[in-house]
């Protein structure tokens, strides 16, 4: 016999979100095909944090890449030393490759030598990649011989999520995280403090722990803080007890699954 008694409980979950902005930059290149460039002659290049970008809504993650103004200049391609062509990587500049049918012998072994039909007895075939030229177009400059160098800025909006589940019911945590609960407290601000006024010391202790973790992470990072949000909510759960002649077992689950 299995039945569900009237005993219900709730699992508190404390979440701490720290929304930050991170900026990184690196030199990039593109082929130069002539025309005007945005060099320092057009003005002083701004610092990474002076470049304006459109931020997403708070706590929404996104990554934006934008060239830094006035950082472009033209130089010879390093990959081909300005020639626009490089040695073929398939044939190492020979223009020909060893025939795969006869392994370079030019004939097939047997009672009588039979000339290889693929290479015509030469033992080598024309390289398909360079068409026998031994050189191929440089992919870096796309054959122009010159490239434009510029600084690419990567702006990342990151929501650092941390949480503690006060789970004393031995319910799998993945089920708890997927459940819909009732919010009992939410605080949003530039820099929030642990919520006060909870009678349950376990909830208050979890919020204090999350606060300490968030502060330690901010203190060791160069990311810029934009907003924080702390939420405490409860997941309802129920207890089902099964009884047989030999033993009694207990099952605890989210009440929204019961």
């Amino acid at each position: 016999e299995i039945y569900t008694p009237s005993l219900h409980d709730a699992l508190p979950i404390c979440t701490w979100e720290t929304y930050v902005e991170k900026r990184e930059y690196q030199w990039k290149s593109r082929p130069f095909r002539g025309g005007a460039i945005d060099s320092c002659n057009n003005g002083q290049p701004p610092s990474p944090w002076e470049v304006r970008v459109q931020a997403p809504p708070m706590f929404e993650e996104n990554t934006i890449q934008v060239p830094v103004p006035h950082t472009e200049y033209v130089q010879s391609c390093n990959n081909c030393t300005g020639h626009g062509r490089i040695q073929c990587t398939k044939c190492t500049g020979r223009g020909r490759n060893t025939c795969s049918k006869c392994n370079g012998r030019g004939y097939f072994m047997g009672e009588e030598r039979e000339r290889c039909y693929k290479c015509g007895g030469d033992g080598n075939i024309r390289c398909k990649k360079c068409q026998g030229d031994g050189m191929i177009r440089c992919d870096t400059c796309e054959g122009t011989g010159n490239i434009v160098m510029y600084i690419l800025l990567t702006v990342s909006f990151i929501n650092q999520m941390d949480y503690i589940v006060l789970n004393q019911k031995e319910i799998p945590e993945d089920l708890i995280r997927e459940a819909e609960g009732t919010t009992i407290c939410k605080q949003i601000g530039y820099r929030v403090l642990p919520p006060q006024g909870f009678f349950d010391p376990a909830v208050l202790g979890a919020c204090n722990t999350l606060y300490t973790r968030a502060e330690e992470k901010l203190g060791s990072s160069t990311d810029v803080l934009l907003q924080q949000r702390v939420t405490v909510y409860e997941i309802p759960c129920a207890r089902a007890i099964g009884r047989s002649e030999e033993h009694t077992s207990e099952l605890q689950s989210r009440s929204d699954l019961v």
Side-chain angles (χ1 to χ4, degrees):
E1 180 182 359
I2 298 178
Y3 67 95
T4 303
S6 59
L7 181 58
H8 291 264
D9 206 344
L11 296 179
I13 300 180
C14 306
T15 64
W16 200 288
E17 298 169 84
T18 302
Y19 192 57
V20 299
E21 180 178 345
K22 182 177 184 179
R23 297 200 172 196
E24 300 173 300
Y25 64 92
Q26 61 183 135
W27 282 100
K28 290 286 187 177
S29 68
R30 59 177 173 81
F32 177 63
R33 299 184 177 86
I37 63 170
D38 185 15
S39 69
C40 59
N41 294 330
N42 295 334
Q44 179 69 27
S47 67
W49 287 100
E50 291 176 333
V51 178
R52 292 186 177 183
V53 296
Q54 181 64 46
M58 282 295 175
F59 302 104
E60 182 177 306
E61 293 193 325
N62 194 15
T63 299
I64 302 171
Q65 289 189 320
V66 57
V68 178
H70 316 323
T71 59
E72 294 183 347
Y73 68 90
V74 178
Q75 70 171 38
S76 294
C77 178
N78 293 326
N79 191 44
C80 64
T81 63
H83 294 92
R85 287 158 40 103
I86 60 173
Q87 186 181 81
C88 178
T89 55
K90 184 73 174 179
C91 65
T92 62
R94 294 170 52 241
R96 303 182 69 78
N97 292 312
T98 301
C99 178
S100 59
K101 288 295 182 180
C102 65
N103 294 320
R105 290 189 298 267
Y107 57 88
F108 298 117
M109 299 294 292
E111 294 182 0
E112 296 183 2
R113 287 190 177 186
E114 181 181 352
R115 189 172 66 174
C116 176
Y117 63 87
K118 186 172 184 179
C119 65
D122 182 75
N124 295 291
I125 57 176
R126 188 175 69 169
C127 178
K128 292 182 178 180
K129 186 170 185 177
C130 65
Q131 300 300 315
D133 185 64
M135 302 290 287
I136 58 176
R137 190 188 72 163
C138 175
D139 289 335
T140 302
C141 65
E142 296 183 355
T144 66
N146 294 307
I147 56 175
V148 178
M149 299 296 298
Y150 64 96
I151 295 178
L152 181 67
L153 177 66
T154 301
V155 183
S156 302
F157 295 92
I158 307 169
N159 190 30
Q160 300 170 349
M161 171 75 77
D162 195 6
Y163 66 92
I164 294 178
V165 179
L166 300 174
N167 184 10
Q168 299 177 348
K169 313 300 178 185
E170 298 182 357
I171 299 177
E173 192 166 298
D174 56 341
L175 289 179
I176 298 175
R177 291 291 298 163
E178 294 172 359
E180 294 183 2
T182 301
T183 301
I184 59 178
C185 176
K186 180 181 289 186
Q187 294 180 186
I188 302 176
Y190 170 71
R191 205 160 199 153
V192 298
L193 295 173
Q196 302 298 318
F198 286 104
F199 295 102
D200 188 344
V203 174
L204 181 58
C207 291
N208 288 332
T209 299
L210 292 173
Y211 169 76
T212 301
R213 282 192 228 175
E215 287 296 305
E216 289 177 351
K217 195 167 186 178
L218 283 174
S220 61
S221 173
T222 57
D223 300 343
V224 173
L225 174 64
L226 300 178
Q227 199 89 352
Q228 285 186 315
R229 177 169 61 191
V230 56
T231 308
V232 180
Y233 59 100
E234 291 181 332
I235 301 298
C237 62
R239 179 184 301 172
I241 300 176
R243 290 180 178 175
S244 66
E245 294 180 356
E246 298 180 354
H247 65 277
T248 299
S249 62
E250 181 176 310
L251 172 66
Q252 300 194 16
S253 175
R254 290 163 27 193
S255 62
D256 60 342
L257 297 179
V258 177

